[in-house]
Amino acid sequence: MPLLGKSEARPYHVHAAVTDSPFVMISDHAGRAVPERLGDLGLPVDEWDRHIAYDIGIREVGRHLQQALGCLLVEQVYSRLVIDCNRAAGHPTSIPPVSDGAPVPGNQGLSAVERRQREEAILHAYHDEIERHLSRRKPETTLFVSLHSFTPAMQDGRRRPWDIGLLHDHDPHSARLMRTLLEEEGGLHVGDNQPYVLNSQNEYSVPYHAGRRNLPALEIEIRQDLISDEVGQKLWAERLARLLPRFWERRKEMA
């Protein structure tokens, strides 16, 4: 029996480009849907409002940004608790049995067949859709942008001071340039590979799609308390819609 029924949502939602834009945006943790067969994974209702289920605020930021730029946006529809689409298949945190201290009964004791079902129905389908769009583009006219959000504090209470983080691996040049533009705005604390370090061992989307193509790429992480309401979501979308075209022009000038 397939994981997703015929009436259920596909694992991706595509917002098509309406302009000839260099930006290809993805949002790995935009959604928090769960296949009907999996129920609530054994989690209490309030856990689904936490960051363990999705990247709080980033779907709305991405949609406002896509409308402003007119570029392509591919969103993941299903919760990262079902399968994390920013992890390679088989990664230890791909289908977490425990997430930030919360046991996830529906992810415990899975067979190889059950894991493969989630990988094929959601993970691979989502990334195949991104590949389909990238395969039709010229690398020299493409910037790969991965959108995420992060919690204001660690589980142990340590605060994360950054307003926004820029993660990088194969393309530190783009991160440095975008950091300069953000800091020119004034008053922003910008993290360099903070609050996470981007590499092929702990992430998947940017290394897989952009790294192996050597595409210029930005992975953008915004602190969740700054985008938890519509005012913050629009503010950050407007900021990025202002800066990304400026970034692209400067990058071309420096090439």
Side-chain angles (χ1 to χ4, degrees):
M1 181 184 298
L3 178 66
L4 300 177
K6 292 182 179 179
S7 63
E8 292 189 82
R10 292 183 297 183
Y12 51 83
H13 184 81
V14 177
H15 301 262
V18 295
T19 63
D20 185 18
S21 172
F23 309 119
V24 171
M25 299 194 306
I26 67 165
S27 194
D28 296 328
H29 304 142
R32 50 177 165 170
V34 183
E36 292 176 5
R37 281 185 55 194
L38 302 182
D40 58 11
L41 294 175
L43 281 167
V45 172
D46 57 350
E47 296 287 3
W48 291 98
D49 292 326
R50 294 180 60 208
H51 70 96
I52 63 173
Y54 70 120
D55 274 6
I56 294 168
I58 205 63
R59 183 181 70 173
E60 292 75 18
V61 171
R63 291 184 177 189
H64 287 309
L65 183 55
Q66 188 273 336
Q67 289 175 4
L69 296 174
C71 63
L72 174 72
L73 169 64
V74 183
E75 296 174 341
Q76 162 62 282
V77 170
Y78 288 93
S79 172
R80 64 192 304 173
L81 289 172
V82 176
I83 188 164
D84 191 329
C85 284
N86 196 23
R87 301 290 185 272
H91 191 279
T93 63
S94 171
I95 305 176
V98 178
S99 184
D100 197 16
V104 187
N107 289 350
Q108 296 173 1
L110 296 182
S111 68
V113 170
E114 289 170 320
R115 296 185 68 91
R116 192 159 54 248
Q117 275 190 324
R118 298 193 198 185
E119 291 166 357
E120 292 175 357
I122 298 175
L123 174 73
H124 296 318
Y126 169 66
H127 286 290
D128 286 350
E129 180 65 12
I130 296 169
E131 283 287 289
R132 187 174 72 83
H133 291 280
L134 287 175
S135 68
R136 300 187 301 208
R137 298 184 61 94
K138 295 179 180 179
E140 62 270 21
T141 60
T142 300
L143 175 70
F144 191 76
V145 182
S146 181
L147 299 171
H148 292 269
S149 68
F150 66 94
T151 56
M154 299 287 285
Q155 189 179 2
D156 62 9
R158 281 181 294 140
R159 301 294 299 174
R160 288 166 157 172
W162 311 282
D163 300 300
I164 183 171
L166 299 173
L167 311 190
H168 56 84
D169 185 12
H170 76 284
D171 184 20
H173 171 66
S174 288
R176 284 195 297 268
L177 176 54
M178 189 63 176
R179 181 178 183 178
T180 298
L181 292 171
L182 284 161
E183 290 177 342
E184 286 175 359
E185 293 269 292
L188 293 177
H189 191 169
V190 184
D192 178 15
N193 259 345
Q194 296 285 359
Y196 311 107
V197 174
L198 171 59
N199 58 51
S200 58
Q201 285 71 52
N202 61 19
E203 296 212 10
Y204 182 65
S205 296
V206 170
Y208 180 70
H209 295 293
R212 66 190 174 91
R213 287 183 168 88
N214 203 29
L215 288 178
L218 290 171
E219 180 160 338
I220 296 172
E221 292 265 1
I222 306 172
R223 206 175 70 219
Q224 289 170 357
D225 60 318
L226 301 177
I227 55 172
S228 60
D229 60 22
E230 188 174 1
V231 172
Q233 291 156 6
K234 286 185 175 179
L235 183 151
W236 276 94
E238 289 166 2
R239 175 177 284 130
L240 293 173
R242 198 168 57 242
L243 295 182
L244 282 169
R246 199 179 305 169
F247 162 90
W248 188 244
E249 287 306 310
R250 285 201 193 179
R251 198 181 193 287
K252 288 193 295 183
E253 290 169 3
M254 297 166 67

